[in-house]
Amino acid sequence: MNDLWVVLVPILLADIVNPVLFGFLVYAAGTRKPVSTSTALLLGHTAAYFVAGVAIAIGLEQIENRLVNPKPIDFAFEFFIGVLLLWIGARSRNSSAQHQESEAKDLTFVTAFFLGAVVNFIGIPFAIPYFAALSQILKADVTAAQAWGALVAYNLAYALPFAAVPIMRALIGEKSRRFFETINNFLNKASSVIMPALLILLGVVLIIDAAYYYVKGIALF
């Protein structure tokens, strides 16, 4: 079990770098009830992440079998996704996420919970570290109970750093909100440069892989 966590901890550290979740938590911290709303959003995100992990783990074997024996339609879909990523990456270079203060004030505990879940499900296709963590858990030499425990522990450890937002909001008040907004602005500026480049790079790789398959009859990657 210890050997499993030697692998999971570096994956977890990479997975935690999530400016999207952090940004929405700061957004929730600007509501009329900042502590309960940001807590609800984090709970919704964490619950959705765990549910998605269970679903992915159940279907991972079938996914792996399909990847070993891909069909032509898979590469047509890959080409389409590559073009879509190029388009999103190009458009996102000049766009930024902005949240209206009036909308933030209207968030409730329930809507914040579901917002957190939606944010998670939208980002699941890009949660590469989470896929890697699930793969390590499934192939580890552990019992079923230990595997489930590792999945629960991973999700709790993932949520722990983000819990600083509602905790500091409760302890420090408005000053903590301004502090987190400063961090969020920095992350947004950094991601506005890094994320479009990554999306464009991934799109190019997918398009090249799909084109190589149709020319040579085999996958490049």
Side-chain angles (χ1 to χ4, degrees), residues 83-97 192 195-197 199-200:
V83 173
L84 183 62
L85 287 176
L86 282 178
W87 181 76
I88 294 174
R91 285 184 61 86
S92 63
R93 292 177 62 182
N94 298 318
S95 64
S96 60
S192 68
M195 290 308 296
L199 290 174
I200 291 173

Side-chain angles (χ1 to χ4, degrees), residues 88-202:
I88 294 174
R91 285 184 61 86
S92 63
R93 292 177 62 182
N94 298 318
S95 64
S96 60
Q98 297 180 348
H99 306 297
Q100 297 297 325
E101 187 74 11
S102 59
E103 293 177 355
K105 297 298 183 183
D106 293 335
L107 272 183
T108 65
F109 187 93
V110 175
T111 56
F113 182 91
F114 283 104
L115 176 60
V118 170
V119 169
N120 177 266
F121 285 131
I122 291 175
I124 279 294
F126 303 98
I128 305 302
Y130 198 40
F131 282 90
L134 289 170
S135 178
Q136 293 297 322
I137 293 173
L138 289 174
K139 74 180 184 180
D141 186 17
V142 296
T143 64
Q146 289 175 323
W148 281 109
L151 181 59
V152 172
Y154 182 95
N155 280 271
L156 292 177
Y158 174 88
L160 187 60
F162 296 102
V165 174
I167 291 173
M168 289 189 66
R169 192 68 170 85
L171 296 178
I172 304 176
E174 188 67 21
K175 292 182 180 179
S176 66
R177 181 187 171 193
R178 290 193 291 268
F179 170 73
F180 285 126
E181 285 178 343
T182 300
I183 296 177
N184 188 47
N185 289 335
F186 171 78
L187 291 175
N188 282 335
K189 290 178 181 179
S191 62
S192 68
V193 176
I194 297 173
M195 290 308 296
L198 290 176
L199 290 174
I200 291 173
L201 178 61
L202 180 58

Side-chain angles (χ1 to χ4, degrees), residues 3 5 9 25 34 51 63 70 77 79 81-82 98 115 171 216:
D3 293 339
W5 281 103
V9 168
L25 285 171
V51 171
I63 294 173
F77 182 71
F79 184 86
I81 293 297
Q98 297 180 348
L115 176 60
L171 296 178
K216 298 291 187 178

